[in-house]
Amino acid sequence: MLRTVSKRSTSACTRLITGLRWRSLSAAATATNTDVQDKIRTLKKRSKLHGYTVEKVDEVPELFLTAVSLHHDKTGAKHFHVARDDSNNSFSVAFKTTPLDSTGVPHILEHTVLCGSRKFPVRDPFFKMINRSLATFMNALTASDWTMYPFSSQNRKDYNNLLAIYLDAVFYPQLRELDFSQEGWRLEHENPADKSSPIDFKGVVYNEMKGVFSSQQNIFAEAVQNKLLPSHTYGVVSGGDPAYIPDLTWTQLKDFHKTHYHPSNARFYTYGNFPLEDHLQYINDNYLQNFEAISVDTDVPSEPRWNKPVEEKVTCQPDTMAPDPEKQTTLAVNFLLSDITDLDEATTLSIISTLLTDGEMSPFYQSLLEANIGSDYSPVIGYNGYTKESTFSVGLQGIHQDDIPKVKKIIAETIDKVISEGFEQSRIDALLHRIELGTKHQTSNFGLGIIMNIVSGWNHGGDAAEMLKVNSTMDRFKQRLQDDPHYLQNKVQQYFKANTHCLTLVMSPDEKYDDIRKQGEQEKLKACVNKLTDQDREKVLKLGQELLESQNAAEDLGCLPCIQVAEIDRKIQPEVMEKTDFDGIPVFSTCQPTNEVVYLRMMSFLDKVPEEMKIYIPLFTSVITRMGAGAYDYKELSHQAELHTGGLNAGTHVSAHHTNPDDFDQGVVFSSYCLERNLNRMLDLWTEIFDRSNLRDSNRLETLIKMAAADLAAGIPQAGHSYAMTHSASSLNPAAQVNEMFSGVSQVSIMKKIAELEDNSKVMEHLVELGREILNKDNLKISVNATPQFMPKALKELDGFITTLHSDRKPEQRVYKDHTTHTKSFTASSKKTQIELPFSVNYMSKSVQTVPYTHEDCPRLQVLSRLLSWKYLHREIREKGGAYGGGAAMVPKNGVFSFYSYRDPNSMNTLSVFEDAINWAARGEFTDTDVEEAKITMFQQSDKPVPPGQMGTTLFLNNITDEMRQQSRDQLFAVAKDSLVDVTQRYLVSGQKPSSLSFLGPNNSKVAEDQSWKIVKE
């Protein structure tokens, strides 16, 4: 479970105002004034409510919500409530946490407060509640200057249960030394029972952060923030630097809690259709009234401005996945901008940043990426509004050391050109269209999206409600443009030309980097161990043994609230689709309250594509909407997509057959969405791509290949467990094998080799050949989601669109045929593979061949995966082993059961844990209550809200009908302990079914000595 907020700045293309990720902040459903909002509208300024005073009430009609801002009279705690007709209610409490060292105290405290509290004195109630809740979201997050505890749930009882757990955790945690040692860091014997065994560093956060800094991108992003804002909290690593984490003491952790986790330093947020009064009464009566106001010194001062630009250098480990070992330098020019609470200035700077860097028409895209001197933008790119004062970064990664002066010159010249020429009005119009579409596009957790987007500004005193008023904010922006035609150019001059608070950061690989890191770790360990007195050594031994006893001890969980399986609805939520044929092409339509947005998906099947061509399909999906088509070159195609759609996307899809394990579907999925008024224009763009795509622009293809290869390589440290599971599954069935080819480590290697080619002409011809097959309507099926009122027009437009597409068949032959891939020759095999990479942690996986979706054992195996994850693997891999995470997953999509670990300091020991877990389940060493809790986690996942634009995708993409879903749900309810023991013995016990082991990690001596392992060195 991810608990830390990445420091990596994201592209301004995903932001709207104040640096918000607006694509995740989208309307959940068309709504009118509701009773929920009417109750809030009765509140007046200075009204009193359960110990709170109303500060103001705000209407935000464009997002169908009414907001109220309050403060707690006794403690000064802030509360922001959003009333909206949405059953997926959200809560969070956030504290301003501003460390002045890199020991990771806010991060370790975030972990430790969740390890037991006054009312819930059990070990780790947070994780235990995952098995006892229907939450649609549960997490805890540490950023550079805040720590937040959010959750969401559609069930009123469940919401109240989680509210009690979260509030007691943050205000009355136990903060035991054992928990600090487990979650933060500790000295411990390699064998806790043997005091003669070596002593080493252990701890969940310690190993997590070692994993974080295994990534070049994370190293660079952290260095940018630390060096651009060095004077206060942003100059340190809030998540913790492994070199300094061992300096943190238990006493310092408790002191930090006293000064930072107080209501006077807290901001509460509630959202949805549950009554505000109930929230306020519970929070006040049970917690806040017990505190007195205190003076809290957690404000972040403005950064002292530099009087001249600064240049800095850092090093990193070489990237073995880089196509060119001589081109591994990264450079970015970074500017400190304005206070994020100045909403209008932040809006302007975010928009300017988007115009500068986002899309093929942007100045920096054209000057930096099209020059083909680097592989992609630098890891930090565009506007970042997560710090008190915003920043802007632009640069390149994958450049040669000799090209550093050239890149700096290009950046300076591009800024000068923008100041001189400005931005085209059509690009500004496209951005304004994106903002309009962003307020209507719908996602599944709107309430969570709000708080994630406003927390940084609100944390520094910004007006939470004003940040949501998109229309008024944009009206003011448009007025400033109208009043001053050179408004944007003047701002570029002010912030990017005349701004002396500018950092140029260069990161270069050092072959000795990893050795230096390891040496530093060993020297730190040696210093800590050498300082130990005999009494200290006894304490280390005793602490390790006490921790192990605590982790193994059975607990009475009666104090924890729990949803009962009997309270869960036994019926699925139907996803009604209607099917029709246009010119022999099946079209699936789903009428939904899409808020005047139309969602389109098209699946092109790959069953006729030659096997030797399939390795190029992921590259095809990366470039097909970005190469230009018909009358549009790639720049104009991108611009038209921005003007009329939410983006034109393509990706691979592989899904095992729901019943026959040897059959599967493989395809390319094209998707896009648009406002109703733009449907015709969106379909015109797809027509150009399908009928007149231009795949023979060699220079453009070179740029996209480099970018794709860089993105894939950068993603491995962040999702190493997923890559390990995909690889270990690939030898077990044909669907998993193709999935590895399309999206596994194999594809990363393929893209690396393609990027290394000096001549891409053969690759280009392969893509053209693929286009003839994939862009042929004979292989298509289509789905559309729209409002009932607009659906007839949408279908009419689709009929015309289909008529224009290329076909190899005569009209009388256009009858839809089955495109399922039928495999007759595949034989599952057991393999053991290490993918050796220069990481400081491992990502382990074991996969076992099981059954498809409709098999009666599939629901049992799904429940078993949850049972093993939370009742065994979490304890053994995370609590004892010190990995950041571990678990098991039954994936019906490929009919494989997988075990995994994430950022794991262990390797062979973890594989032994996987086997021990199987044996534990085979012996039935769990209770009926454990089974019920595992079933709850399954319903938690299956019952999450589905946004209107995604309704029907289960049938469309995976051919799983409502009847199949209902049958699976009925079987989930029926799962019992004896059936879990049975499937464990028949599938998972060694030798019953083919299984494979794969892991990603550093050189491993035990693997090297074992001839049964294959080592792949990338």
Side-chain angles (χ1 to χ4, degrees), residues 418-432:
V418 171
I419 293 171
S420 173
E421 300 177 5
F423 301 104
E424 295 179 14
Q425 183 60 45
S426 62
R427 293 203 63 233
I428 299 173
D429 293 341
L431 182 55
L432 296 178

Side-chain angles (χ1 to χ4, degrees), residues 663-909:
D663 294 348
F664 64 99
D665 283 343
Q666 52 181 321
V668 170
V669 177
F670 302 92
S671 62
S672 58
Y673 61 92
C674 66
L675 299 170
E676 290 176 348
R677 67 173 185 264
N678 290 329
L679 177 58
N680 189 48
R681 297 302 302 270
M682 183 172 77
L683 293 176
D684 284 347
L685 294 176
W686 282 120
T687 299
E688 294 295 308
I689 290 169
F690 269 72
D691 286 353
R692 290 175 286 279
S693 59
N694 174 19
L695 293 168
R696 284 197 164 93
D697 183 338
S698 179
N699 288 335
R700 175 62 175 162
L701 183 59
E702 180 184 354
T703 300
L704 294 179
I705 287 173
K706 288 181 178 179
M707 293 174 66
D711 286 346
L712 284 174
I716 293 179
Q718 314 302 331
H721 64 308
S722 295
Y723 279 103
M725 286 192 288
T726 300
H727 191 275
S728 62
S730 63
S731 66
L732 302 179
N733 68 44
Q737 184 181 59
V738 174
N739 193 43
E740 163 66 21
M741 186 197 335
F742 285 171
S743 58
V745 177
S746 302
Q747 182 58 212
V748 181
S749 299
I750 290 166
M751 279 305 306
K752 175 186 176 183
K753 293 175 182 176
I754 292 174
E756 290 171 345
L757 296 173
E758 294 184 4
D759 181 2
N760 63 29
S761 58
K762 289 186 178 179
V763 174
M764 191 186 310
E765 291 307 313
H766 291 322
L767 297 180
V768 171
E769 185 179 344
L770 281 173
R772 295 190 186 102
E773 188 69 31
I774 296 173
L775 303 177
N776 187 325
K777 75 176 178 182
D778 297 337
N779 300 318
L780 280 183
K781 68 175 180 178
I782 298 175
S783 77
V784 60
N785 289 29
T787 62
Q789 298 84 356
F790 190 75
M791 185 61 77
K793 180 174 174 59
L795 292 174
K796 182 178 180 181
E797 295 281 358
L798 277 172
D799 189 11
F801 163 70
I802 290 170
T803 302
T804 67
L805 298 182
H806 167 73
S807 171
D808 290 334
R809 290 184 287 170
K810 297 178 181 179
E812 61 271 16
Q813 298 174 322
R814 289 176 197 158
V815 178
Y816 180 70
K817 63 176 184 177
D818 177 27
H819 286 278
T820 297
T821 301
H822 304 280
T823 307
K824 298 180 180 179
S825 59
F826 184 88
T827 301
S829 60
S830 298
K831 296 182 178 181
K832 297 161 71 174
T833 309
Q834 182 199 1
I835 295 95
E836 189 175 301
L837 292 168
F839 297 160
S840 56
V841 288
N842 298 287
Y843 302 87
M844 314 299 297
S845 177
K846 171 179 177 148
S847 292
V848 184
Q849 183 191 62
T850 54
V851 295
Y853 182 84
T854 59
H855 194 286
E856 62 180 359
D857 286 336
C858 184
R860 297 165 184 164
L861 289 163
Q862 288 177 295
V863 174
L864 178 62
S865 72
R866 301 295 81 206
L867 177 81
L868 288 169
S869 293
W870 300 114
K871 298 300 179 180
Y872 193 92
L873 295 169
H874 174 78
R875 179 183 69 236
E876 298 297 323
I877 293 176
R878 181 186 168 100
E879 292 182 356
K880 294 183 183 179
Y884 188 45
M890 170 61 195
V891 186
K893 186 177 178 180
N894 62 16
V896 169
F897 191 104
S898 293
F899 298 83
Y900 67 90
S901 70
Y902 182 70
R903 291 178 179 167
D904 190 347
N906 305 301
S907 55
M908 299 299 104
N909 288 347

